[in-house]
Every structure is written in structure tokens, then in C-alpha cells.
Amino acid sequence: MTIMFDKLILLAACTLLMLQHTPQTGLYQVSGFLAAVIFSFGCSCCNPGAQPYRKISFFSRLILTGLYLFLFVCALANPIFGIFLPLLFYETGSSFSKTARFILYPALCLLAVFSFRNQPPRYLMLTFLLFSIALILCYKTKRLLQLEQDFRLLRDTSTEYHLLLQQKNKDLIERQDYEIHAAALRERNRIAREIHDNVGHMLSRSILQAGALLAINQQENLKEPLHALKDTLSHAMDDIRNSVHDLHDDSIDLRQTVSDMLSSFSGYQVHLNYDISGFVPAPVKYCFIAIIKESLSNIAKHSNATNVSVTLQSHPSLYRLTVADNGTDIHQSPSGIGISNMQERVNNLNGHFSVSTDKGFVVFASIPRTQNLQQEP
């Protein structure tokens, strides 16, 4: 828009100079004005962004060269056309490099001198004045376009850095949440071990002591209290054992467990895609771990694969597991014991299980996120 405004200013100034030169409207005046309009419009269409001449397409360069030569030749033939040479001067400053301008600017000045050789000197001086105005407008517009380009670049870079910072913050928060979750699992595991090693052993010793007292007791009035004591200690032992098992099940870190299994699976290119956030029920953990173990065992024993991919994902309604390799041998039929065991584990959780041999061997399992599995203890 700025370039068109500059050209309109120069076209209006050249038209006023033409009217001062020849107030009577004739064929040459109309032809000169139309030639100037066609020249400006054609240059704007071929190079709307005032790009360097060497960067535009070959077809556009060909048309622009034709337009330049057209106005150049017309200015040689008649001073009416020479009045519009500031438009060519402006195009030269917009499209050509500094080296080319050092050659073209003097050539255009000599062309103006030759075109107005038989005219009063004031027309040549006014044409040179318009050359100066064209040069000022050209450099002003180029500077403005460069500033706009720098501003857009700065804006885009700032937006990119802002999005990158948001992603980094998101990753940091997710990593922090994962570390907190992992620390909580480790603490649960520690508590389970403490209860098992200390409280469990003390209760076991107390149960043995109560049994020993019952064996050596000779007083009838103490038999019932000792039996009640032993039963109470046994119930306490069962409750602690169940609590320890629950704590141990909840303390299993599915991501870390799968990563450890894959890191020890040597000789293959292994890729893990883990996209599960939040709580994963213990039955789902054990099911997925067992399927991955069985799948890796089948790959190691029967497949000629070189790449193994394990994907765990959570969706609003289900958990999904995929274990795939690029082997060409079908390393276990769908009726094998390992496949049957995996199928049974998934069926027990009301899930869906399938295998595919189209592109390698692919094990797929999905387990619905039912209410009884979603509740975190």
C-alpha cells in the first residue's frame, strides 16, 4: 500500500509537470499518461512487494525488463514520455542492488538530459527534482518495509519463545508431578517393608507365644482368654498382611517398571511411548506388566525382529497397551499358551485383546476405566 501511494504521488507530480509543459490535451499527452499508468501498474503486478530484481520469477523479470525498455525508448523519442522518468527512477531504487543503481541512476539522468535537450532548462531541473523526490520516497519506503519485516520477525520470535516457554513450564510441571508421585510410591513401599519386617514379625512371634501358652496352660479359666488372644493376633496379622499387599501393589511405578524391563532387553532397538498420567489401578498395572513380559519373551525366543515398540496410553474411557515388533516370523500362534494367558488376564478386567501379524507381530490390549478400577486408595 505504501509503494502504491508513493507511485500515485510521483504520477500526480509528473502529470502536473506534463500539463505545465503542454496545457493542450493531445494524442502525445494522453499516450504519455497511459504509458505511465501502464508502467506503474505493470511493475506493481510483477513485483508487488518491491523484492530485489534477482529474487523474483523469470517471467516477472522478463515483463519488468520489457516495461523498463518501453519507457526508456519512449523517453528517447518524445519529452512527454521523459516527464514520467521519475517513475522509472523509483522502480530502479526499489528493485536493483546498490551496484546496479550506481550504473542506472547516471544513465537515467543522461536520458533525461537527452530527452529535454530541445526544451527549456526548467523542465530538466523539475525532472531532476522529481528524481530526488522519487529517491527519497524509495528509501523511505524501503526503510519502512524493513522495519515492518523486522517487527514481524521480532513478533514471531517472541511468540515462538512464549510458546516454547509454556511448553517448558508444562513439561516441568509434569515432571514435578511425576517426581512427587514417584516419591509417594517409594514412601508407600518403604512403609510396607517396615510393617512387614517389624510389626509383622512381632505379631508372628506374639501368635507363637500365645500358642505356646495354650499348650502349657493347665488352668481351665485361662483357656478361653488365651484362645481369644490368639484369634485377635491372627486377625491383626491377616489385616496387616492385606494392608502390606495393598501398599506394595499401589507402590509399583508402571513407567519405571516397564522402562527397567526394556532397558534389560538387549540386542534390539527398543522404543517406549508412555502417555499415562495420574493414578493407574493395580490390576491394570499387573496386567500390562505381565503382557509386556510375555511379549518380550516371545520376541526373544521366536522372532527375528530388530525393533520393538511399546506404547502405553490412557484415554478418558480406557487404558491401552501396544507391543509391536518388525519381525517377519510369526513367533507364536493366537492359540499358544502365552497368548491365551494374556487373553485371560485382559478378559478378567472386561478388556479387549487382539494380535496382528500384518506388519510384524503386534499385541494390542485395552482395559476400560470402570468405576471400581478408577478409585485411588
Side-chain angles (χ1 to χ4, degrees):
M1 192 65 183
T2 305
I3 297 174
M4 291 298 299
F5 186 70
D6 293 344
K7 291 181 179 180
L8 286 176
I9 292 176
L10 291 175
L11 182 61
C14 293
T15 303
L16 290 176
L17 182 59
M18 181 189 69
L19 293 176
Q20 183 184 8
H21 182 267
T22 52
Q24 299 82 10
T25 303
L27 178 62
Y28 282 112
Q29 288 77 13
V30 174
S31 299
F33 180 77
L34 290 178
V37 172
I38 293 173
F39 175 81
S40 298
F41 180 76
C43 292
S44 298
C45 291
C46 295
N47 190 11
Q51 296 295 319
Y53 184 79
R54 65 181 182 277
K55 291 186 178 181
I56 60 178
S57 65
F58 173 77
F59 184 71
S60 297
R61 289 201 303 268
L62 188 63
I63 295 178
L64 284 177
T65 303
L67 291 172
Y68 296 158
L69 292 176
F70 168 73
L71 189 58
F72 191 91
V73 172
C74 289
L76 287 176
N78 194 299
I80 294 297
F81 295 94
I83 292 175
F84 295 96
L85 282 176
L87 294 172
L88 181 56
F89 201 91
Y90 181 88
E91 293 292 340
T92 301
S94 299
S95 303
F96 290 94
S97 63
K98 183 181 294 185
T99 303
R101 291 197 300 267
F102 281 144
I103 300 174
L104 293 175
Y105 282 164
L108 290 176
C109 292
L110 291 176
L111 177 60
V113 172
F114 184 82
S115 180
F116 292 103
R117 63 188 182 278
N118 297 323
Q119 304 297 320
R122 67 176 182 273
Y123 294 111
L124 180 60
M125 299 303 297
L126 290 174
T127 301
F128 282 161
L129 178 61
L130 291 179
F131 279 176
S132 302
I133 295 174
L135 186 63
I136 294 173
L137 292 175
C138 174
Y139 280 97
K140 179 266 299 181
T141 301
K142 288 179 66 175
R143 179 60 178 169
L144 180 61
L145 293 176
Q146 183 64 41
L147 290 175
E148 290 179 353
Q149 183 179 358
D150 294 341
F151 172 74
R152 287 194 295 269
L153 179 61
L154 180 62
R155 181 191 59 192
D156 295 342
T157 304
S158 176
T159 303
E160 182 180 357
Y161 281 140
H162 178 67
L163 294 176
L164 182 61
L165 181 60
Q166 285 183 335
Q167 184 62 38
K168 291 290 186 182
N169 290 336
K170 180 181 177 182
D171 295 340
L172 182 61
I173 292 174
E174 291 179 353
R175 181 63 182 175
Q176 184 179 21
D177 292 341
Y178 173 76
E179 293 293 340
I180 294 174
H181 180 67
L185 295 181
R186 289 193 296 269
E187 183 64 17
R188 287 182 179 183
N189 202 14
R190 186 192 65 81
I191 294 173
R193 288 196 304 268
E194 291 291 333
I195 294 176
H196 178 271
D197 295 339
N198 297 324
V199 181
H201 289 172
M202 294 176 65
L203 284 175
S204 297
R205 187 172 62 181
S206 299
I207 293 172
L208 292 175
Q209 291 174 347
L213 289 176
L214 279 172
I216 64 175
N217 178 52
Q218 300 297 327
Q219 303 180 23
E220 291 294 331
N221 60 340
L222 292 179
K223 286 185 178 181
E224 185 176 351
L226 288 175
H227 277 292
L229 175 61
K230 184 178 180 181
D231 292 339
T232 301
L233 292 174
S234 297
H235 284 304
M237 186 65 182
D238 292 337
D239 291 340
I240 287 179
R241 184 181 293 111
N242 292 331
S243 298
V244 168
H245 288 167
D246 291 340
L247 284 173
H248 177 71
D249 292 343
D250 294 333
S251 65
I252 295 176
D253 188 342
L254 180 60
R255 181 174 188 173
Q256 187 62 43
T257 303
V258 175
S259 297
D260 292 341
M261 284 194 296
L262 296 180
S263 62
S264 62
F265 195 61
S266 59
Y268 299 87
Q269 294 288 336
V270 182
H271 175 70
L272 173 62
N273 178 19
Y274 189 92
D275 188 17
I276 298 179
S277 58
F279 169 73
V280 180
V284 178
K285 293 180 184 179
Y286 281 116
C287 180
F288 282 174
I289 291 172
I291 291 175
I292 295 173
K293 284 182 178 180
E294 182 65 29
S295 299
L296 295 179
S297 177
N298 287 343
I299 293 172
K301 292 178 181 178
H302 307 292
S303 176
N304 62 349
T306 57
N307 296 327
V308 180
S309 175
V310 177
T311 301
L312 296 102
Q313 294 177 320
S314 62
H315 300 278
S317 60
L318 55 87
Y319 298 98
R320 187 168 73 89
L321 166 66
T322 303
V323 182
D325 65 39
N326 63 340
T328 57
D329 294 340
I330 299 177
H331 42 82
Q332 185 162 336
S333 64
S335 59
I337 297 177
I339 299 295
S340 299
N341 290 337
M342 290 188 279
Q343 175 81 61
E344 183 179 356
R345 287 179 180 275
V346 175
N347 290 341
N348 290 336
L349 298 177
N350 299 320
H352 172 74
F353 179 84
S354 64
V355 295
S356 173
T357 57
D358 294 337
K359 297 180 179 179
F361 198 83
V362 181
V363 175
F364 174 84
S366 63
I367 299 175
R369 303 180 71 160
T370 55
Q371 187 64 30
N372 60 336
L373 291 180
Q374 289 181 2
Q375 293 178 352
E376 183 174 5

